Amino acid sequence: ATGASAWRAVTERMERLKRTGRRRMRITVDGAEVEFTAPLVTLTYAQSLDGSIAAADGSAVLLSGKESMHMTHTLRAAHDAILVGVGTVRNDDPSLTVRLCAGSNPQPVVLDSRLSIAASLDIKLLSSDSCERPWIMCLPMAHRNTTAVRGLEDAGATVVTCSAGADGRVALER
C-alpha cells in the first residue's frame, strides 16, 4: 500500500487498537489527531519486485520512495520502540531516528545474541548525538563477556540478558 491507501490502513489499524487495547496514545496523521491504545506493533520493510530486501552481496539498496520514507518516519514517531537485528545494525548502520516529520525518537532495541555489536562501537546508535542509545538483548553466555558489556554500557547502551529460544537465539516469546 502506498500514499492514501497506506494512511487508511494505518488509521484503520489504530482505530481497531483504540477499541481493544490498554494504553491510550495520540499521533497526528495527515493533520488529524488520532488516538489509539498500545501496544502498537507494526512490521515495516521494503522489498524489490523479486522479493529481495538487499543486493545479492548483502549491501543496502534504496527501495523506498519519498512517500513511504515519510510514512516510515511517521510510524517511528508513533511508536515507543523500534526492534532490529544485529545484522541490520552491522550492514546498514541505521540511526533509527525520526527525521522526516515531527515527533520523538523511538527506543532502539537490538537483538544480538552474542553481543557481536561490541566490535563496532563507532556505529551511529552508539556514537551519534542524534541517536537514542540502544537496549541490546543478548544471551547469558554473551553477558558473561564483561569487556563487551562494559564497552557497550560505557557507550551508553543498556545490555539486557534474555533466555534462549529453541533456535539458540534471543527468545522473543517472553
Side-chain angles (χ1 to χ4, degrees):
T2 59
S5 64
W7 284 120
R8 275 193 299 280
V10 169
T11 303
E12 288 168 8
R13 178 68 179 144
M14 289 178 193
E15 285 302 313
R16 215 170 323 142
L17 286 169
K18 182 179 178 181
R19 291 189 302 273
T20 61
R22 294 181 215 117
R23 190 174 57 139
R24 295 177 191 254
M25 301 174 90
R26 295 174 189 253
I27 66 165
T28 302
V29 177
D30 287 347
E33 188 169 278
V34 178
E35 184 180 82
F36 61 94
T37 52
L40 174 61
V41 178
T42 306
L43 172 66
T44 66
Y45 65 96
Q47 70 180 38
S48 64
L49 290 174
D50 67 358
S52 299
I53 60 172
D57 66 358
S59 63
V61 175
L62 183 61
L63 296 170
S64 299
K66 186 177 177 182
E67 275 186 336
S68 64
M69 289 298 288
H70 187 268
M71 185 177 84
T72 295
H73 284 255
T74 301
L75 287 170
R76 283 183 188 175
H79 289 72
D80 295 322
I82 184 167
L83 177 72
V84 296
V86 69
T88 296
V89 174
R90 274 196 310 262
N91 295 332
D92 300 343
D93 193 17
S95 62
L96 304 178
T97 57
V98 175
R99 298 180 303 280
L100 302 179
C101 66
S104 300
N105 292 332
Q107 174 62 56
V109 179
V110 179
L111 300 178
D112 185 2
S113 299
R114 295 176 186 83
L115 287 183
S116 62
I117 196 173
S120 306
L121 296 179
D122 61 341
I123 61 170
K124 291 177 191 169
L125 289 174
L126 296 173
S127 63
S128 173
D129 290 338
S130 65
C131 295
E132 301 294 323
R133 293 302 177 252
W135 297 346
I136 303 171
M137 308 301 170
C138 70
L139 296 177
M141 65 169 189
H143 200 270
R144 288 192 282 272
N145 181 344
T146 56
T147 302
V149 172
R150 191 174 312 113
L152 290 165
E153 289 176 343
D154 287 349
T158 300
V159 180
V160 180
T161 305
C162 300
S163 58
D167 63 357
R169 296 189 282 183
V170 170
L172 296 178
E173 67 271 3
R174 297 182 192 158

